[in-house]
Amino acid sequence: MSLGGASERSVPATKIEITVSCRPLPAQGVAREFPCPSARPTLTLHPPTQFGRTEVIDNTLNPDFVRKFVLDYFFEEKQNLRFDVYNVDSKTNISKPDFLGQAFLALGEVIGGQGSRVERTLTGVPGKKCGTILLTAEELSNCRDIATMQLCANKLDKKDFFGKSDPFLVFYRSNEDGTFTICHKTEVVKNTLNPVWQPFSIPVRALCNGDYDRTVKIDVYDWDRDGSHDFIGEFTTSYRELSKAQNQFTVYEVLNPRKKCKKKKYVNSGTVTLLSFSVDSEFTFVDYIKGGTQLNFTVAIDFTASNGNPLQPTSLHYMSPYQLSAYAMALKAVGEIIQDYDSDKLFPAYGFGAKLPPEGRISHQFPLNNNDEDPNCAGIEGVLESYFQSLRTVQLYGPTYFAPVINQVARAAAKISDGSQYYVLLIITDGVISDMTQTKEAIVSASSLPMSIIIVGVGPAMFEAMEELDGDDVRVSSRGRYAERDIVQEGCCSLGTSVV
């Protein structure tokens, strides 16, 4: 999705949540993804950049996406949006999905539509019907509570011929016009009529948008590999009713309206029990800073040979007397923001992928100041000075390993359990990661720690592989114990990637 607006912004009137569905998409693949590019909000034209994307939904022509887009709404501006729909085929490169169609409209059109809902025909593929996209907008409340709950079911209907059922739950919140908006899906529990689902957390804002008596509908389905999931039944509740489970179990009858009409002796299609329910407050980045949390900023710079000879003007490390290198500019751009929240202004700084003098040992985690006992540099200027000195003494080599420095910072973050410190690791690199598997494992292992990773790509290389680090398989990192400090919304990120 892309955004266009004015260069000088007033205070946003509110935040708007956009929910996306499609009906029906052309049948040509096994999985779908919904990336949304975005343009910078300025008066002049700029190439669009990506604002966000939904999850991938397998094997369906009529997807209802759970992941939402939250936008700042400026009443006095025309905020243009572009939605692109893609098909992700597991047999092809996930970074090059098949284009299915696109739609252009203004945010005001969605908000001003009947029931704040619009439907647009997807276009962009000559000679093909691309289907339609359905967009629903809702103003978000200021509720910052997070509900955590666990449910189980008993004696659900058997739906599989050779087995029992593979149940999962879908949560919907009601709208004023009587329709429902999807807000959560549980995992699938295979081959059982008595499933116990894992506990999950959901913002109260997503469940009922702060209206505790708003109807919440929960559908029970039997999962099928081809996407044609079988409806088992449904029940309704509300946030206020769910919250009673803090003191007692709550049992709901699962009813299938069609079976109820056809069978006189029909009782139910099973029951669902709410085993536990708790509520915690979600704190923002600013809340933690006000509370005394200190940021610990660590830098890791790519010293592999693919950057080019630092003495040559074509090198990304070239030290021109007239301007900073690409690495130095990236370091200053991020570091000068982060350093304001670090009280001692002492930053550990490392390099990776170089041969170190005198024996020529390859290192993927060497201190830029050449001090193994104390790798701290005084301020961003101290980091730059150590970086320049390292360029004069080490030999650029390879390969490009991220995992060692991620694990180094993770070990320090693991010692913090009281919220007093938060670690931010900035990795600046020029190309493909050589230890992708180990890097993913390191990120997932650090997902519950007070730690964020910012990866900045410099130079002309293709950085599609970086998207794997921000995909669903490693997105655990943004849902960990410290996810409330996600700087994507407040100035930092649990895992962010960018290219300069």
mmCIF file of all heavy atoms in Angstrom, residues 401-423:
data_model
loop_
_atom_site.group_PDB
_atom_site.id
_atom_site.type_symbol
_atom_site.label_atom_id
_atom_site.label_comp_id
_atom_site.label_asym_id
_atom_site.label_seq_id
_atom_site.Cartn_x
_atom_site.Cartn_y
_atom_site.Cartn_z
ATOM 1 N N TYR A 401 29.036 -12.890 7.860
ATOM 2 C CA TYR A 401 28.339 -13.593 8.935
ATOM 3 C C TYR A 401 27.718 -12.578 9.896
ATOM 4 O O TYR A 401 28.417 -11.717 10.432
ATOM 5 C CB TYR A 401 29.307 -14.481 9.716
ATOM 6 C CG TYR A 401 29.788 -15.715 8.984
ATOM 7 C CD1 TYR A 401 30.829 -16.486 9.494
ATOM 8 C CD2 TYR A 401 29.206 -16.123 7.783
ATOM 9 C CE1 TYR A 401 31.275 -17.630 8.835
ATOM 10 C CE2 TYR A 401 29.642 -17.255 7.111
ATOM 11 C CZ TYR A 401 30.683 -17.996 7.640
ATOM 12 O OH TYR A 401 31.126 -19.125 6.991
ATOM 13 N N PHE A 402 26.402 -12.705 10.138
ATOM 14 C CA PHE A 402 25.711 -11.848 11.100
ATOM 15 C C PHE A 402 25.580 -12.501 12.474
ATOM 16 O O PHE A 402 25.546 -11.824 13.499
ATOM 17 C CB PHE A 402 24.293 -11.526 10.610
ATOM 18 C CG PHE A 402 24.223 -10.509 9.511
ATOM 19 C CD1 PHE A 402 25.371 -9.984 8.933
ATOM 20 C CD2 PHE A 402 22.995 -10.064 9.041
ATOM 21 C CE1 PHE A 402 25.296 -9.043 7.922
ATOM 22 C CE2 PHE A 402 22.907 -9.126 8.039
ATOM 23 C CZ PHE A 402 24.058 -8.618 7.472
ATOM 24 N N ALA A 403 25.446 -13.817 12.502
ATOM 25 C CA ALA A 403 25.095 -14.520 13.739
ATOM 26 C C ALA A 403 26.041 -14.230 14.907
ATOM 27 O O ALA A 403 25.573 -14.039 16.040
ATOM 28 C CB ALA A 403 25.001 -16.020 13.489
ATOM 29 N N PRO A 404 27.371 -14.186 14.706
ATOM 30 C CA PRO A 404 28.256 -13.960 15.858
ATOM 31 C C PRO A 404 27.980 -12.669 16.610
ATOM 32 O O PRO A 404 27.927 -12.662 17.849
ATOM 33 C CB PRO A 404 29.660 -13.957 15.226
ATOM 34 C CG PRO A 404 29.519 -14.820 14.011
ATOM 35 C CD PRO A 404 28.152 -14.517 13.491
ATOM 36 N N VAL A 405 27.780 -11.577 15.894
ATOM 37 C CA VAL A 405 27.574 -10.302 16.586
ATOM 38 C C VAL A 405 26.161 -10.232 17.175
ATOM 39 O O VAL A 405 25.947 -9.631 18.243
ATOM 40 C CB VAL A 405 27.849 -9.111 15.636
ATOM 41 C CG1 VAL A 405 26.757 -8.966 14.590
ATOM 42 C CG2 VAL A 405 28.007 -7.822 16.430
ATOM 43 N N ILE A 406 25.168 -10.870 16.525
ATOM 44 C CA ILE A 406 23.824 -10.926 17.104
ATOM 45 C C ILE A 406 23.862 -11.684 18.422
ATOM 46 O O ILE A 406 23.286 -11.256 19.431
ATOM 47 C CB ILE A 406 22.829 -11.578 16.123
ATOM 48 C CG1 ILE A 406 22.617 -10.683 14.892
ATOM 49 C CG2 ILE A 406 21.488 -11.843 16.812
ATOM 50 C CD1 ILE A 406 21.751 -11.308 13.816
ATOM 51 N N ASN A 407 24.544 -12.817 18.421
ATOM 52 C CA ASN A 407 24.648 -13.615 19.650
ATOM 53 C C ASN A 407 25.412 -12.870 20.748
ATOM 54 O O ASN A 407 25.111 -13.011 21.933
ATOM 55 C CB ASN A 407 25.314 -14.957 19.351
ATOM 56 C CG ASN A 407 24.432 -15.879 18.534
ATOM 57 O OD1 ASN A 407 23.209 -15.837 18.652
ATOM 58 N ND2 ASN A 407 25.034 -16.709 17.696
ATOM 59 N N GLN A 408 26.412 -12.086 20.350
ATOM 60 C CA GLN A 408 27.183 -11.300 21.323
ATOM 61 C C GLN A 408 26.274 -10.318 22.059
ATOM 62 O O GLN A 408 26.307 -10.226 23.294
ATOM 63 C CB GLN A 408 28.300 -10.541 20.596
ATOM 64 C CG GLN A 408 28.954 -9.419 21.374
ATOM 65 C CD GLN A 408 29.962 -9.922 22.399
ATOM 66 O OE1 GLN A 408 30.280 -11.102 22.404
ATOM 67 N NE2 GLN A 408 30.450 -9.029 23.239
ATOM 68 N N VAL A 409 25.459 -9.574 21.322
ATOM 69 C CA VAL A 409 24.554 -8.609 21.950
ATOM 70 C C VAL A 409 23.461 -9.338 22.731
ATOM 71 O O VAL A 409 23.043 -8.892 23.805
ATOM 72 C CB VAL A 409 23.952 -7.671 20.888
ATOM 73 C CG1 VAL A 409 22.955 -6.703 21.514
ATOM 74 C CG2 VAL A 409 25.060 -6.888 20.181
ATOM 75 N N ALA A 410 23.003 -10.469 22.198
ATOM 76 C CA ALA A 410 21.951 -11.230 22.883
ATOM 77 C C ALA A 410 22.408 -11.711 24.253
ATOM 78 O O ALA A 410 21.626 -11.747 25.211
ATOM 79 C CB ALA A 410 21.522 -12.412 22.017
ATOM 80 N N ARG A 411 23.672 -12.099 24.365
ATOM 81 C CA ARG A 411 24.184 -12.543 25.659
ATOM 82 C C ARG A 411 24.126 -11.424 26.696
ATOM 83 O O ARG A 411 23.824 -11.660 27.873
ATOM 84 C CB ARG A 411 25.621 -13.072 25.509
ATOM 85 C CG ARG A 411 25.688 -14.458 24.883
ATOM 86 C CD ARG A 411 27.078 -15.047 24.997
ATOM 87 N NE ARG A 411 28.042 -14.354 24.155
ATOM 88 C CZ ARG A 411 28.299 -14.681 22.895
ATOM 89 N NH1 ARG A 411 27.640 -15.698 22.321
ATOM 90 N NH2 ARG A 411 29.207 -14.018 22.189
ATOM 91 N N ALA A 412 24.425 -10.211 26.255
ATOM 92 C CA ALA A 412 24.343 -9.072 27.179
ATOM 93 C C ALA A 412 22.889 -8.772 27.538
ATOM 94 O O ALA A 412 22.559 -8.511 28.699
ATOM 95 C CB ALA A 412 24.998 -7.843 26.551
ATOM 96 N N ALA A 413 21.997 -8.832 26.539
ATOM 97 C CA ALA A 413 20.581 -8.546 26.789
ATOM 98 C C ALA A 413 19.945 -9.592 27.697
ATOM 99 O O ALA A 413 19.009 -9.287 28.451
ATOM 100 C CB ALA A 413 19.828 -8.471 25.459
ATOM 101 N N ALA A 414 20.433 -10.830 27.629
ATOM 102 C CA ALA A 414 19.864 -11.917 28.436
ATOM 103 C C ALA A 414 20.061 -11.683 29.926
ATOM 104 O O ALA A 414 19.367 -12.295 30.749
ATOM 105 C CB ALA A 414 20.483 -13.253 28.023
ATOM 106 N N LYS A 415 20.996 -10.823 30.293
ATOM 107 C CA LYS A 415 21.261 -10.552 31.711
ATOM 108 C C LYS A 415 20.261 -9.546 32.309
ATOM 109 O O LYS A 415 20.255 -9.324 33.507
ATOM 110 C CB LYS A 415 22.679 -10.006 31.877
ATOM 111 C CG LYS A 415 23.763 -10.977 31.410
ATOM 112 C CD LYS A 415 25.141 -10.334 31.496
ATOM 113 C CE LYS A 415 26.230 -11.277 30.981
ATOM 114 N NZ LYS A 415 27.576 -10.646 31.015
ATOM 115 N N ILE A 416 19.422 -8.945 31.438
ATOM 116 C CA ILE A 416 18.494 -7.908 31.884
ATOM 117 C C ILE A 416 17.087 -8.498 31.981
ATOM 118 O O ILE A 416 16.571 -9.055 31.009
ATOM 119 C CB ILE A 416 18.483 -6.719 30.912
ATOM 120 C CG1 ILE A 416 19.906 -6.183 30.716
ATOM 121 C CG2 ILE A 416 17.555 -5.619 31.426
ATOM 122 C CD1 ILE A 416 20.584 -5.729 31.991
ATOM 123 N N SER A 417 16.464 -8.372 33.134
ATOM 124 C CA SER A 417 15.110 -8.889 33.314
ATOM 125 C C SER A 417 14.161 -7.884 33.956
ATOM 126 O O SER A 417 12.980 -8.172 34.133
ATOM 127 C CB SER A 417 15.144 -10.164 34.180
ATOM 128 O OG SER A 417 15.708 -9.889 35.452
ATOM 129 N N ASP A 418 14.657 -6.699 34.287
ATOM 130 C CA ASP A 418 13.825 -5.736 35.007
ATOM 131 C C ASP A 418 13.403 -4.538 34.159
ATOM 132 O O ASP A 418 12.820 -3.580 34.671
ATOM 133 C CB ASP A 418 14.562 -5.233 36.247
ATOM 134 C CG ASP A 418 15.889 -4.560 35.920
ATOM 135 O OD1 ASP A 418 16.248 -4.494 34.718
ATOM 136 O OD2 ASP A 418 16.573 -4.100 36.854
ATOM 137 N N GLY A 419 13.676 -4.577 32.847
ATOM 138 C CA GLY A 419 13.270 -3.473 31.983
ATOM 139 C C GLY A 419 14.137 -2.241 32.094
ATOM 140 O O GLY A 419 13.813 -1.203 31.516
ATOM 141 N N SER A 420 15.249 -2.325 32.821
ATOM 142 C CA SER A 420 16.082 -1.139 33.030
ATOM 143 C C SER A 420 16.936 -0.804 31.812
ATOM 144 O O SER A 420 17.380 0.336 31.664
ATOM 145 C CB SER A 420 16.999 -1.349 34.243
ATOM 146 O OG SER A 420 17.877 -2.454 34.024
ATOM 147 N N GLN A 421 17.182 -1.798 30.943
ATOM 148 C CA GLN A 421 18.022 -1.567 29.775
ATOM 149 C C GLN A 421 17.430 -2.241 28.548
ATOM 150 O O GLN A 421 16.766 -3.275 28.656
ATOM 151 C CB GLN A 421 19.440 -2.107 30.014
ATOM 152 C CG GLN A 421 20.175 -1.445 31.157
ATOM 153 C CD GLN A 421 21.586 -1.970 31.309
ATOM 154 O OE1 GLN A 421 22.402 -1.844 30.408
ATOM 155 N NE2 GLN A 421 21.864 -2.586 32.449
ATOM 156 N N TYR A 422 17.677 -1.650 27.400
ATOM 157 C CA TYR A 422 17.200 -2.194 26.126
ATOM 158 C C TYR A 422 18.330 -2.064 25.115
ATOM 159 O O TYR A 422 18.978 -1.016 25.041
ATOM 160 C CB TYR A 422 15.959 -1.430 25.643
ATOM 161 C CG TYR A 422 15.271 -2.099 24.487
ATOM 162 C CD1 TYR A 422 14.389 -3.152 24.693
ATOM 163 C CD2 TYR A 422 15.499 -1.683 23.179
ATOM 164 C CE1 TYR A 422 13.750 -3.778 23.641
ATOM 165 C CE2 TYR A 422 14.873 -2.306 22.118
ATOM 166 C CZ TYR A 422 13.996 -3.350 22.352
ATOM 167 O OH TYR A 422 13.369 -3.971 21.304
ATOM 168 N N TYR A 423 18.580 -3.122 24.355
ATOM 169 C CA TYR A 423 19.714 -3.167 23.439
ATOM 170 C C TYR A 423 19.262 -2.985 21.997
ATOM 171 O O TYR A 423 18.289 -3.603 21.552
ATOM 172 C CB TYR A 423 20.458 -4.502 23.590
ATOM 173 C CG TYR A 423 21.226 -4.608 24.887
ATOM 174 C CD1 TYR A 423 20.565 -4.904 26.077
ATOM 175 C CD2 TYR A 423 22.593 -4.384 24.937
ATOM 176 C CE1 TYR A 423 21.246 -4.988 27.276
ATOM 177 C CE2 TYR A 423 23.290 -4.462 26.134
ATOM 178 C CZ TYR A 423 22.613 -4.762 27.296
ATOM 179 O OH TYR A 423 23.294 -4.836 28.482
#
